[in-house]
Amino acid sequence: MLEIEYEFREDDLIHFNEMRFMQTDEYRNQIRKNRWIVPGIMMLIGTFYYYYYADLKATGYIMLVAVVWAAFSPQVILLNIGRQVLKTYTHKERKAMFGTYVLTIDPANPSFLYEVSPSGKNKMAWSELVRVDYGKGYVYIYLDLATALVIPESTLKRGDLQAFAKQVEKMIEMHG
């Protein structure tokens, strides 16, 4: 029997949603706008101040704000996404979502992936699972295209995550 136990936290949920958001066109458009267009306009204004008013100090401040804006806007965008994600869940939903999870592949009944979580016991048919993805410090078992079991390596309490993930991949391929 393959089994893993891990802790799922708010940071892990935020990480998953940030990762998914960074793959969207909306994020790329926001980054382009906040990294290039807005600072470019600020630099034009700074250049105007320099040539029209010969005000080097104001030009320096405007250029500094443009560079800081370009450097830190992606982090601010992702911080905002994290806050928005947490606002979508009530306190009761968060309590049922965060905590200790146990995932089990039982050779006696190989038709399901068994989950014990703060919300209770669940079993998921292999045919309902989509895929397994690997990220830096995480393994994602996708239940559909937008939802996944997020397994952080850092909070793994017991079990071999890599062996478990490989077995899940095999089971999905066999039953999918």
Side-chain angles (χ1 to χ4, degrees):
M1 176 179 337
L2 277 175
E3 185 173 90
I4 60 169
E5 181 178 352
Y6 64 96
E7 192 78 22
F8 183 65
R9 308 159 300 183
E10 283 185 5
D11 293 343
D12 303 320
L13 176 68
I14 292 170
H15 164 79
F16 176 71
N17 284 287
E18 285 176 351
M19 180 211 47
R20 287 186 36 81
F21 182 68
M22 286 191 296
Q23 297 170 349
T24 64
D25 289 334
E26 179 185 352
Y27 176 74
R28 288 186 200 101
N29 290 337
Q30 284 185 8
I31 291 299
R32 185 175 63 245
K33 179 178 72 175
N34 284 294
R35 264 232 165 119
W36 300 106
I37 297 172
V38 172
I41 292 170
M42 293 171 119
M43 296 243 184
L44 287 174
I45 292 170
T47 304
F48 171 77
Y49 264 83
Y50 178 71
Y51 285 115
Y52 192 72
Y53 295 115
D55 188 355
L56 189 59
K57 191 174 183 179
T59 301
Y61 286 133
I62 292 171
M63 298 291 185
L64 178 66
V65 169
V67 168
V68 169
W69 183 293
F72 291 108
S73 63
Q75 289 84 4
V76 172
I77 291 169
L78 291 178
L79 180 65
N80 189 31
I81 292 301
R83 282 186 280 165
Q84 288 176 0
V85 165
L86 290 177
K87 283 182 184 179
T88 61
Y89 298 102
T90 65
H91 178 70
K92 187 176 180 181
E93 288 172 326
R94 284 191 215 168
K95 191 174 181 179
M97 187 184 315
F98 303 123
T100 302
Y101 281 68
V102 177
L103 299 178
T104 307
I105 301 171
D106 187 4
N109 191 359
S111 302
F112 299 99
L113 173 64
Y114 295 94
E115 172 195 58
V116 178
S117 67
S119 63
K121 294 181 179 182
N122 302 305
K123 63 181 183 178
M124 296 165 265
W126 295 113
S127 60
E128 295 174 2
L129 301 178
V130 178
R131 70 180 188 274
V132 176
D133 277 351
Y134 300 90
K136 187 176 181 182
Y138 289 89
V139 172
Y140 312 100
I141 301 173
Y142 279 86
L143 308 174
D144 59 38
L145 295 177
T147 310
L149 292 171
V150 180
I151 307 169
E153 291 176 2
S154 63
T155 63
L156 190 66
K157 295 180 179 179
R158 66 183 158 91
D160 182 359
L161 182 57
Q162 296 306 320
F164 185 83
K166 293 293 180 196
Q167 186 62 34
V168 169
E169 279 183 299
K170 288 178 188 174
M171 298 301 280
I172 291 172
E173 286 176 15
M174 253 184 357
H175 294 91

